[in-house]
Amino acid sequence: MRPIIVIPSRLASTRLPRKPLADIGGLPMIVRVAKRALEAKIGKVVVAAGDQDILDAVSGLEGVQGVLTDSSLASGSDRVHAALQQVDPDGEHDVVINLQGDLPLIEPASLTAVLEPLKQGDFDIGTLAAPVQSEWERNAEQVVKIACDFGTASVARALYFSRLPIPWGAGLHWHHVGVYAWRRQALERFVSLPPSALERRESLEQLRALEAGMTIGCARIEHAPQGVDTPQDLERVRELV
């Protein structure tokens, strides 16, 4: 595989305005995410920005290429795809890792792990799953859960994603960490499809892929990284840093 990491980022966050530029220990959040991507040493790192201010923030970061994309693009997947057309129009990279720009504490090893489903099986997409650690995490609608069963394996097929605590009954629940490793042709197909019925109902774009018959493999990691979606999340991350 010849992977590339693309980090989609835009300023138009309703719950935390100008989120990518939020200061965390003296660095903008988008810079911290990009540095984590560099530490993974997987391949080229690109920031797909919807705004010039984001490009300015990463301009001095060695090893990171910034690309300006249309600010009106509907999703991070669309932004990643648009950036690829600029930085790799000939398709040299056959796998693209979509790393969310609000995961400043992502472990570099997790970016290696997300490639495992593509290495071990004939999956179209790889993603990450961590064990749910608390009752709050299990029931919180902002924490997306995955219906899958690892058994003793490190990779499992995702059967469904929901904001509800699925599956029903006793046993482990899995927290979905929104990092994706796309086969290039799968991403091309995905962005050409309209939003699906279940995607709109759950507000989860990965369901579009499942409804279209694509397969998603989950790599198990031990802990879900703290993301930044609200001012409270930002303060929590600042404390951890």
Side-chain angles (χ1 to χ4, degrees):
M1 291 190 294
R2 301 177 301 280
I4 183 173
I5 300 175
V6 182
I7 308 167
S9 185
R10 66 191 185 109
L11 295 181
S13 171
T14 54
R15 283 178 283 192
L16 188 57
R18 298 179 67 81
K19 179 168 69 170
L21 304 181
D23 181 86
I24 300 174
L27 290 175
M29 180 163 59
I30 187 63
V31 171
R32 286 195 172 271
V33 176
K35 287 170 76 71
R36 293 286 175 132
L38 289 170
E39 288 168 19
K41 298 180 179 178
I42 289 171
K44 188 173 185 175
V45 177
V46 175
V47 172
D51 306 272
Q52 183 62 44
D53 286 355
I54 296 171
L55 290 187
D56 293 342
V58 300
S59 63
L61 195 53
E62 186 177 355
V64 174
Q65 181 178 355
V67 174
L68 190 63
T69 56
D70 186 345
S71 61
S72 66
L73 288 170
S75 71
S77 300
D78 292 308
R79 197 169 304 285
V80 167
H81 178 260
L84 281 174
Q85 306 316 300
Q86 296 186 54
V87 301
D88 186 29
D90 297 326
E92 177 185 345
H93 298 283
D94 58 347
V95 170
V96 54
I97 295 176
N98 178 346
L99 171 58
Q100 306 301 324
D102 57 5
L103 293 174
L105 301 181
I106 186 79
E107 291 290 341
S110 295
L111 300 179
T112 302
V114 78
L115 294 170
E116 283 302 310
L118 305 190
K119 291 179 180 178
Q120 294 188 25
D122 191 25
F123 293 107
D124 297 303
I125 307 162
T127 194
L128 299 173
V132 166
Q133 304 286 346
S134 68
E135 192 72 11
W136 175 88
E137 189 180 5
R138 189 179 76 90
N139 293 316
E141 67 177 34
Q142 63 266 42
V143 175
V144 178
K145 274 70 67 173
I146 312 173
C148 64
D149 183 14
F150 285 95
T152 59
S154 60
V155 170
R157 180 170 178 167
L159 300 176
Y160 193 70
F161 297 81
S162 180
R163 298 182 183 279
L164 287 174
I166 57 170
W168 183 85
L172 282 174
H173 287 85
W174 296 96
H175 179 151
H176 179 227
V177 178
V179 177
Y180 299 94
W182 292 87
R183 295 194 193 276
R184 188 74 174 260
Q185 63 270 31
L187 179 60
E188 296 280 351
R189 182 183 173 207
F190 178 84
V191 298
S192 73
L193 297 170
S196 67
L198 290 175
E199 174 188 2
R200 292 193 300 267
R201 184 167 179 173
E202 292 256 22
S203 191
L204 296 173
E205 70 171 350
Q206 60 269 44
L207 293 176
R208 186 193 318 177
L210 290 184
E211 287 190 82
M214 297 185 203
T215 54
I216 302 177
C218 303
R220 176 176 179 165
I221 59 175
E222 292 308 309
H223 302 284
Q226 174 66 57
V228 178
D229 198 40
T230 66
Q232 293 76 21
D233 294 337
L234 179 59
E235 289 308 314
R236 193 173 299 116
V237 166
R238 283 170 170 165
E239 290 171 5
L240 290 170
V241 168

